[in-house]
Amino acid sequence: MDQDEASTTVDNIVTQFNTYEDFLDSQITTLDLYYLEDEGLARQLVELGYRGTGEVVRREDFEARKAAIEIARLAERTQKNDFCLCTFEACKSLASFTFSCFCKH
């Protein structure tokens, strides 16, 4: 799998699930829970790539991509509507990402 395919796969996973735990849970079967008897352990096995029915995605990659998609969505919405949807505090928090805020503070 090349870089673009991997990125597209992560994007699809991130848009499909609200949280990383939801993604991990989607990879766990009832049979896994029957034998393991521990949801936390089942999640760890999926996270490490030892168990699961799909792609292995690290928590850091999931959360970073989720944040980037949300920032891009807000930026597009702000430009489209030509008004600010965030507070000054939100603008300051965006400074840690590669995207810039489009607000005029």
Side-chain angles (χ1 to χ4, degrees), residues 84-95:
C84 178
L85 295 175
C86 62
T87 65
F88 184 66
E89 281 301 310
C91 292
K92 288 196 300 191
S93 69
L94 293 176

Side-chain angles (χ1 to χ4, degrees), residues 13-32:
I13 290 169
V14 166
T15 55
Q16 186 177 359
F17 299 101
N18 289 327
T19 66
Y20 186 67
E21 285 71 22
D22 290 343
F23 163 68
L24 294 177
D25 291 346
S26 75
Q27 304 294 304
I28 299 169
T29 66
T30 54
L31 194 59
D32 294 335

Side-chain angles (χ1 to χ4, degrees), residues 2-97:
D2 68 3
Q3 183 80 13
D4 290 337
E5 287 178 16
S7 179
T8 301
T9 300
V10 172
D11 286 352
N12 289 338
I13 290 169
V14 166
T15 55
Q16 186 177 359
F17 299 101
N18 289 327
T19 66
Y20 186 67
E21 285 71 22
D22 290 343
F23 163 68
L24 294 177
D25 291 346
S26 75
Q27 304 294 304
I28 299 169
T29 66
T30 54
L31 194 59
D32 294 335
L33 291 174
Y34 175 79
Y35 285 110
L36 294 171
E37 298 179 357
D38 184 346
E39 185 178 48
L41 178 59
R43 285 178 176 170
Q44 285 179 336
L45 291 173
V46 171
E47 192 167 8
L48 293 171
Y50 292 112
R51 191 73 187 109
T53 57
E55 187 71 27
V56 175
V57 177
R58 296 180 322 145
R59 180 180 299 273
E60 296 83 20
D61 295 339
F62 182 93
E63 291 174 354
R65 197 65 199 127
K66 189 79 158 174
I69 288 171
E70 180 65 13
I71 290 168
R73 185 187 67 77
L74 286 173
E76 180 181 325
R77 192 168 159 192
T78 301
Q79 282 183 331
K80 186 177 183 180
N81 294 327
D82 199 34
F83 63 89
C84 178
L85 295 175
C86 62
T87 65
F88 184 66
E89 281 301 310
C91 292
K92 288 196 300 191
S93 69
L94 293 176
S96 64
F97 295 98

